[in-house]
Amino acid sequence: QKEVEQNSGPLSVPEGAIASLNCTYSDRVSQSFFWYRQYSGKSPELIMSIYSNGDKEDGRFTAQLNKASQYVSLLIRDSQPSDSATYLCAVTSGTYKYIFGTGTRLKVLA
Amino acid sequence: EAGVAQSPRYKIIEKRQSVAFWCNPISGHATLYWYQQILGQGPKLLIQFQNNGVVDDSQLPKDRFSAERLKGVDSTLKIQPAKLEDSAVYLCASSSYPGWTGGLNTGELFFGEGSRLTVL
């Protein structure tokens, strides 16, 4: 079983719609959760972090965490073509070790 | 604040040759990581240093890969001999040490631009 799982996509949404990206993890003691965005040919950049159950909002982005279900998600409201990228879920558990999922490719259609 | 520096950006070699990548983390960052990212996949951790000590190298193919971080600052990742399947982007990242708040790792991971390796 992979430690961090994501649907590879592509996930296609029309401009202005809500994009929903999902991630599940296997290590129950995982404590910190991150969403990174990676444009083609570029390095990942952090867009959201979440540490406790519930929702965390930052502008158009909302991260949701459910530790009981070992599930974390990212919602992007009012999706723009510039949001087209691969979104990587990363998890840490008690150390500085960041484990990444395979990423979900998002395409926002103008 | 200067970011994570990596070199070279691109390298093309033939199989069985050797290659070395260099990384200089953000000043003051104690933790340094090397990731391998194959096209279409997520970053895979190869090795993690804290200062000049190895924290995790469980996924480093030690028969051909080696890494060092002398003096706890910059780091070098070497591949010898290279195989076709080593073609990937090698990402270096660093994180600040006091990234813990209330027992949670809140340290952000900062990535360099990566070194793209093509093995022919």
Side-chain angles (χ1 to χ4, degrees):
Chain A
Q1 183 186 10
K2 291 183 179 179
E3 294 179 79
V4 180
E5 295 206 46
Q6 297 181 255
N7 188 319
S8 60
L11 172 66
S12 295
V13 299
E15 183 176 358
I18 295 175
S20 178
L21 306 163
N22 305 314
C23 171
T24 58
Y25 58 93
S26 61
D27 189 348
R28 285 193 169 275
V29 300
S30 297
Q31 296 179 309
S32 304
F33 308 86
F34 306 87
W35 283 99
Y36 281 79
R37 178 176 61 200
Q38 186 173 30
Y39 291 112
S40 180
K42 300 294 186 182
S43 294
E45 55 177 337
L46 180 70
I47 52 172
M48 288 287 289
S49 58
I50 188 166
Y51 311 106
S52 54
N53 282 328
D55 296 357
K56 179 181 177 182
E57 187 175 319
D58 184 0
R60 296 186 297 112
F61 299 97
T62 298
Q64 299 175 317
L65 175 61
N66 184 325
K67 289 187 177 181
S69 300
Q70 295 176 239
Y71 176 92
V72 58
S73 65
L74 179 71
L75 300 177
I76 306 174
R77 289 182 299 282
D78 188 24
S79 295
Q80 301 298 308
S82 58
D83 295 326
S84 297
T86 295
Y87 289 80
L88 298 162
C89 174
V91 172
T92 69
S93 53
T95 68
Y96 295 107
K97 182 176 181 178
Y98 292 74
I99 303 298
F100 285 84
T102 55
T104 298
R105 190 156 60 98
L106 173 66
K107 299 174 77 172
V108 180
L109 308 172
Chain B
E1 180 182 73
V4 177
Q6 286 190 250
S7 67
R9 290 292 314 280
Y10 306 92
K11 190 74 176 178
I12 300 174
I13 62 173
E14 295 190 351
K15 59 183 179 183
R16 291 188 288 275
Q17 287 187 324
S18 63
V19 62
F21 302 112
W22 173 83
C23 172
N24 192 31
I26 292 173
S27 177
H29 280 194
T31 309
L32 183 149
Y33 309 77
W34 284 102
Y35 284 89
Q36 179 193 58
Q37 188 172 27
I38 293 172
L39 187 64
Q41 299 182 18
K44 171 189 167 185
L45 180 66
L46 293 176
I47 189 166
Q48 175 186 345
F49 293 97
Q50 187 164 321
N51 296 309
N52 60 348
V54 175
V55 175
D56 189 311
D57 64 356
S58 58
Q59 297 197 84
L60 186 74
K62 298 180 184 63
D63 58 334
R64 298 183 300 106
F65 286 65
S66 64
E68 61 181 11
R69 190 184 184 197
L70 300 176
K71 300 180 183 178
V73 183
D74 57 348
S75 175
T76 302
L77 176 71
K78 297 180 181 178
I79 307 174
Q80 181 179 16
K83 291 186 175 181
L84 297 177
E85 58 260 37
D86 298 332
S87 294
V89 175
Y90 291 85
L91 294 165
C92 180
S94 70
S95 178
S96 58
Y97 180 78
W100 294 91
T101 302
L104 296 175
N105 176 15
T106 59
E108 178 180 349
L109 206 58
F110 292 87
F111 285 89
E113 293 186 315
S115 294
R116 182 178 299 275
L117 173 66
T118 301
V119 182
L120 303 176

